[in-house]
Amino acid sequence: MPPIIPAAPNAMRHLPALAAVLLLAACATAPKPSGPVELRILAFNDFHGHLETPAGGVPVPDPARPGQLVTVPAGGSPYLATWLDTLRAGARHSITVSAGDLIGASPLLSALFHDEPTIRAMNQMGLDLNAVGNHEFDEGRAELLRMQAGGCHPVDGCRFDTRFEGARFRFLAANVVDAASGETLFPAYAVREYEGIKVAFIGMTLKGTPSIVTPAGVAGLRFDDEVDTVNRLVPRLRAEGIEAIVVLLHEGGKQRGRYDQCEGISGPIVDIVKRLDRAVDLVISGHTHQAYTCLIDGRPVSSARQYGQVVSEIDLRLDRASRDVAAVRLNNVVVRTDVAPKADQLALIAQAKAQVAPLAERVVGRIAAPITRQLSPGGDAALGSLVADAQLQATRGAGAQIAFANGGGLRADLASQDGVLRYVQLFTVQPFGNRLITLTLSGAQIVALLESQWQGERFNPLQVSAGFRYAWHAGRPPGRRIDPAEVTLDGVPLRLDGRYRVTVNDFLASGGDGFTVLREGREPVAGLLDIEALEAHVQAQDTLRPPALGRIERRED
């Protein structure tokens, strides 16, 4: 809400009597404000603790070559803060919001301190609201509540600052419900008023959050359907006299165009928007790390890529008579780095870098060439194979014969400009700190696990360790794509009734990513953290090279 500045106490008695009368008369006859109220919403999503400008950039039109694109550096909190200030400067009323995943899966610079630096960075740049995303639950409910309320970490204490004040902005979680109390974990919505017109911001994450985070992190919580949640809230908001409704949703879609276009939009966001109550005026989305400005079923929908590389500049025209949104303008702005960075953000980063440097810069090995997440036609990737191999070697003592790694747990390619690998580069690949679990599965359960890589139309391939190979058949129906005779370990077909020791991380072991077969594993033995296993594997080799592809084969029949 815009600040209200009160008059000085008893200021009237210091005016000459005639002046006071004239002032009162002027106030009595002053015309009421007319015309629409303009509100600027600045939105981003999936920041993931990227305080520094991330590698790569954003493709934008090349002014020197019409019709061509050029990639420009973008993002980083010092530049994001500058752009937010610049975009606010042109608006009488503004609010800054996030559609989730501010924290979690963060670089070491933020993650080492449990993302406290990111919360402070957001406080400094004036974030107002954040709809929780799935990664906000990476360290569990209690830790997320600490992010809002402040206080030192219960185990590590206050490692970044002597005290942690928590978020000055408000977390929202309309569809995250405590199963015991029936209350939402955070408020379902926030209301802001602009020249007498109330605007509601409903915030929530995708209903599938429990399947993509460690189950322990969401124990005791219920994640309701996104559309049902919003549509139940609409009558309550209208009863409060609110007609202007904005949804901040950590779920999204994909499109083929540039960051400021909407070509072939697809994904969950399309169905969600179509089913929302028509009272919803605007949807600000996230989760898919895409950028788009769309009109879906007549409703404006935005998303702002990832890591603070893009800001959605959204102008709402509010009608005084109806108190509703009369018009919406969407404009995605690239957070270029050719502007002056904010000094307070630079100081925050310098503080974090000084504290993290001894760990981050520790040399762990050498690398001959980049090892990437690029999938082969079959579904294996060099980086996934490397990580699975590391996990297998680290758990041989527990009897491990096979290791599986989830592709979603690998957040970046492994590379080095000077050929020297440092700890920070390994952490960037695997930032979650998952513990390895070795358990016993039958050959039939392993085949069922491989079949569960297809969840609807989505293929989510597990990465596999050396010595394990299989083929899958694209033309066959779900549940029958794997021929057990083509699943081999060290060249020998798996016996369906055989017993095999299999290593996965604790996220997968608890059924994460929909791989519920792994919950049936017996005789679990806990091992190293995944990052520890990767470091040990790198250190055991003179020079790291990309593993050969071909452990997984796609066949068209």
Side-chain angles (χ1 to χ4, degrees), residues 4 11 60 87 116 118 139 177 186 201 227 230 265 279 281 291 328 333 344 356 365 391 405 415 427 463 483 485 487:
I4 300 174
V60 301
L87 295 170
E116 292 175 15
T118 294
E139 293 193 48
V177 180
F186 294 109
F201 296 85
V227 175
V230 172
I265 186 71
D281 300 291
V328 180
V333 178
D344 59 350
V356 81
Q391 296 181 173
F427 189 91
Q463 302 300 294
D483 182 347
V487 182

Short mmCIF file of all heavy atoms in Angstrom, two decimals, residues 4 11 60 87 116 118 139 177 186 201 227 230 265 279 281 291 328 333 344 356 365 391 405 415 427 463 483 485 487:
data_model
loop_
_atom_site.label_atom_id
_atom_site.label_comp_id
_atom_site.label_asym_id
_atom_site.label_seq_id
_atom_site.Cartn_x
_atom_site.Cartn_y
_atom_site.Cartn_z
N ILE A 4 0.97 6.67 3.62
CA ILE A 4 0.10 7.81 3.92
C ILE A 4 0.87 8.71 4.87
O ILE A 4 1.28 8.29 5.96
CB ILE A 4 -1.22 7.35 4.56
CG1 ILE A 4 -1.97 6.42 3.60
CG2 ILE A 4 -2.07 8.54 4.97
CD1 ILE A 4 -3.20 5.80 4.20
N ALA A 11 -1.61 21.52 13.08
CA ALA A 11 -0.98 22.46 12.14
C ALA A 11 -1.91 23.62 11.83
O ALA A 11 -1.45 24.74 11.58
CB ALA A 11 -0.60 21.73 10.85
N VAL A 60 18.65 -12.10 -27.93
CA VAL A 60 17.84 -10.92 -28.25
C VAL A 60 18.08 -10.55 -29.72
O VAL A 60 19.08 -10.98 -30.31
CB VAL A 60 18.20 -9.73 -27.34
CG1 VAL A 60 17.99 -10.09 -25.87
CG2 VAL A 60 19.63 -9.28 -27.57
N LEU A 87 12.57 0.58 -13.56
CA LEU A 87 11.21 0.32 -14.02
C LEU A 87 10.17 0.88 -13.05
O LEU A 87 9.08 1.28 -13.46
CB LEU A 87 11.01 -1.18 -14.22
CG LEU A 87 11.86 -1.80 -15.34
CD1 LEU A 87 11.78 -3.32 -15.31
CD2 LEU A 87 11.43 -1.27 -16.70
N GLU A 116 20.34 -17.66 3.05
CA GLU A 116 20.15 -16.38 3.75
C GLU A 116 20.62 -15.19 2.92
O GLU A 116 19.96 -14.13 2.94
CB GLU A 116 20.85 -16.42 5.11
CG GLU A 116 20.21 -17.38 6.09
CD GLU A 116 20.99 -17.50 7.39
OE1 GLU A 116 21.85 -16.64 7.65
OE2 GLU A 116 20.74 -18.46 8.16
N THR A 118 20.37 -14.76 -0.25
CA THR A 118 19.34 -14.44 -1.25
C THR A 118 18.16 -13.72 -0.60
O THR A 118 17.61 -12.77 -1.18
CB THR A 118 18.87 -15.73 -1.95
OG1 THR A 118 19.96 -16.25 -2.72
CG2 THR A 118 17.68 -15.46 -2.87
N GLU A 139 14.61 -27.83 1.92
CA GLU A 139 15.13 -28.10 3.27
C GLU A 139 14.02 -28.27 4.29
O GLU A 139 14.26 -28.30 5.49
CB GLU A 139 16.08 -26.98 3.70
CG GLU A 139 17.36 -26.91 2.88
CD GLU A 139 18.42 -26.03 3.52
OE1 GLU A 139 18.68 -26.16 4.73
OE2 GLU A 139 18.97 -25.18 2.80
N VAL A 177 -1.46 -26.81 2.47
CA VAL A 177 -2.30 -26.89 3.65
C VAL A 177 -1.69 -27.85 4.67
O VAL A 177 -1.27 -28.96 4.32
CB VAL A 177 -3.72 -27.37 3.28
CG1 VAL A 177 -4.61 -27.46 4.52
CG2 VAL A 177 -4.33 -26.43 2.24
N PHE A 186 1.27 -20.61 4.66
CA PHE A 186 1.40 -19.16 4.62
C PHE A 186 0.06 -18.59 4.14
O PHE A 186 -0.81 -19.35 3.68
CB PHE A 186 2.50 -18.73 3.64
CG PHE A 186 3.89 -19.13 4.06
CD1 PHE A 186 4.58 -20.13 3.38
CD2 PHE A 186 4.53 -18.50 5.12
CE1 PHE A 186 5.85 -20.50 3.76
CE2 PHE A 186 5.80 -18.86 5.51
CZ PHE A 186 6.47 -19.87 4.83
N PHE A 201 -3.62 -10.59 -4.66
CA PHE A 201 -2.57 -11.42 -5.25
C PHE A 201 -2.62 -12.79 -4.58
O PHE A 201 -2.29 -12.93 -3.40
CB PHE A 201 -1.20 -10.78 -5.04
CG PHE A 201 -1.03 -9.46 -5.73
CD1 PHE A 201 -1.45 -8.28 -5.13
CD2 PHE A 201 -0.44 -9.38 -6.99
CE1 PHE A 201 -1.30 -7.06 -5.75
CE2 PHE A 201 -0.29 -8.16 -7.63
CZ PHE A 201 -0.73 -6.99 -7.02
N VAL A 227 -6.35 -24.88 -9.69
CA VAL A 227 -7.58 -24.23 -10.16
C VAL A 227 -8.66 -24.26 -9.09
O VAL A 227 -9.33 -23.24 -8.83
CB VAL A 227 -8.07 -24.90 -11.46
CG1 VAL A 227 -9.41 -24.32 -11.89
CG2 VAL A 227 -7.03 -24.72 -12.57
N VAL A 230 -7.95 -21.53 -6.46
CA VAL A 230 -8.27 -20.16 -6.87
C VAL A 230 -9.78 -19.96 -6.95
O VAL A 230 -10.32 -18.96 -6.44
CB VAL A 230 -7.62 -19.85 -8.23
CG1 VAL A 230 -8.13 -18.50 -8.76
CG2 VAL A 230 -6.10 -19.81 -8.10
N ILE A 265 2.47 -21.90 -27.33
CA ILE A 265 2.50 -22.13 -25.89
C ILE A 265 1.83 -23.47 -25.58
O ILE A 265 0.76 -23.80 -26.09
CB ILE A 265 1.81 -20.97 -25.12
CG1 ILE A 265 1.96 -21.14 -23.61
CG2 ILE A 265 0.35 -20.84 -25.53
CD1 ILE A 265 3.33 -20.93 -23.09
N ALA A 279 -13.10 -14.33 -13.20
CA ALA A 279 -12.78 -13.16 -12.39
C ALA A 279 -11.28 -12.92 -12.31
O ALA A 279 -10.85 -11.81 -11.99
CB ALA A 279 -13.34 -13.33 -10.98
N ASP A 281 -7.83 -11.88 -13.50
CA ASP A 281 -7.47 -10.93 -14.55
C ASP A 281 -6.09 -11.17 -15.15
O ASP A 281 -5.83 -10.77 -16.29
CB ASP A 281 -7.50 -9.50 -13.98
CG ASP A 281 -8.87 -9.13 -13.46
OD1 ASP A 281 -9.79 -8.99 -14.29
OD2 ASP A 281 -9.02 -8.99 -12.24
N ALA A 291 10.51 -17.89 -20.78
CA ALA A 291 10.04 -16.51 -20.82
C ALA A 291 8.97 -16.40 -21.90
O ALA A 291 9.17 -16.90 -23.01
CB ALA A 291 11.19 -15.56 -21.12
N VAL A 328 -4.53 -4.63 -19.60
CA VAL A 328 -3.24 -5.16 -19.16
C VAL A 328 -2.24 -5.05 -20.30
O VAL A 328 -2.57 -5.39 -21.45
CB VAL A 328 -3.34 -6.64 -18.72
CG1 VAL A 328 -1.97 -7.17 -18.26
CG2 VAL A 328 -4.39 -6.82 -17.63
N VAL A 333 11.37 -7.65 -20.06
CA VAL A 333 12.57 -6.81 -20.16
C VAL A 333 13.79 -7.65 -19.79
O VAL A 333 13.81 -8.28 -18.73
CB VAL A 333 12.46 -5.60 -19.22
CG1 VAL A 333 13.72 -4.75 -19.28
CG2 VAL A 333 11.22 -4.77 -19.55
N ASP A 344 24.78 -1.90 -2.80
CA ASP A 344 24.48 -2.77 -1.66
C ASP A 344 24.48 -4.24 -2.05
O ASP A 344 24.87 -5.11 -1.26
CB ASP A 344 23.17 -2.36 -0.99
CG ASP A 344 21.97 -2.44 -1.92
OD1 ASP A 344 22.14 -2.61 -3.14
OD2 ASP A 344 20.83 -2.32 -1.41
N VAL A 356 32.98 -17.83 1.57
CA VAL A 356 32.87 -19.12 0.90
C VAL A 356 34.15 -19.53 0.17
O VAL A 356 34.34 -20.69 -0.18
CB VAL A 356 31.68 -19.10 -0.09
CG1 VAL A 356 32.04 -18.45 -1.40
CG2 VAL A 356 31.14 -20.51 -0.34
N GLY A 365 40.46 -31.53 -9.05
CA GLY A 365 40.91 -32.35 -10.17
C GLY A 365 41.07 -31.55 -11.43
O GLY A 365 41.04 -30.31 -11.42
N GLN A 391 28.53 -42.58 -8.05
CA GLN A 391 27.69 -43.12 -6.99
C GLN A 391 27.88 -44.63 -6.85
O GLN A 391 27.85 -45.17 -5.73
CB GLN A 391 26.24 -42.73 -7.24
CG GLN A 391 26.05 -41.22 -7.17
CD GLN A 391 24.63 -40.73 -7.39
OE1 GLN A 391 24.36 -39.54 -7.23
NE2 GLN A 391 23.74 -41.60 -7.78
N ALA A 405 20.82 -42.25 -11.38
CA ALA A 405 20.79 -40.84 -10.99
C ALA A 405 19.65 -40.15 -11.72
O ALA A 405 19.36 -40.46 -12.88
CB ALA A 405 22.12 -40.16 -11.33
N ALA A 415 32.30 -28.05 -16.39
CA ALA A 415 33.29 -27.50 -17.31
C ALA A 415 34.21 -26.55 -16.55
O ALA A 415 33.89 -26.08 -15.45
CB ALA A 415 32.61 -26.76 -18.46
N PHE A 427 29.76 -28.43 -7.00
CA PHE A 427 28.56 -28.07 -6.26
C PHE A 427 27.50 -27.50 -7.20
O PHE A 427 26.30 -27.72 -7.00
CB PHE A 427 28.89 -27.06 -5.17
CG PHE A 427 27.73 -26.79 -4.24
CD1 PHE A 427 27.58 -27.54 -3.09
CD2 PHE A 427 26.80 -25.82 -4.53
CE1 PHE A 427 26.50 -27.31 -2.24
CE2 PHE A 427 25.72 -25.58 -3.70
CZ PHE A 427 25.57 -26.33 -2.54
N GLN A 463 19.60 -41.78 -15.29
CA GLN A 463 20.96 -41.97 -15.78
C GLN A 463 21.55 -43.22 -15.11
O GLN A 463 21.29 -43.47 -13.93
CB GLN A 463 21.80 -40.74 -15.46
CG GLN A 463 21.23 -39.46 -16.07
CD GLN A 463 21.14 -39.54 -17.59
OE1 GLN A 463 22.16 -39.61 -18.28
NE2 GLN A 463 19.93 -39.56 -18.12
N ASP A 483 11.92 -54.61 -22.97
CA ASP A 483 12.00 -56.07 -23.05
C ASP A 483 13.02 -56.53 -22.02
O ASP A 483 14.20 -56.19 -22.12
CB ASP A 483 12.44 -56.48 -24.46
CG ASP A 483 12.49 -57.99 -24.63
OD1 ASP A 483 12.44 -58.72 -23.62
OD2 ASP A 483 12.60 -58.45 -25.79
N ALA A 485 14.65 -59.08 -21.63
CA ALA A 485 15.80 -59.78 -22.20
C ALA A 485 16.87 -58.81 -22.69
O ALA A 485 18.03 -59.21 -22.88
CB ALA A 485 15.35 -60.69 -23.34
N VAL A 487 17.72 -56.00 -21.01
CA VAL A 487 18.26 -55.29 -19.86
C VAL A 487 19.41 -56.14 -19.31
O VAL A 487 19.19 -57.28 -18.86
CB VAL A 487 17.20 -55.08 -18.77
CG1 VAL A 487 17.79 -54.29 -17.60
CG2 VAL A 487 15.99 -54.35 -19.34
#
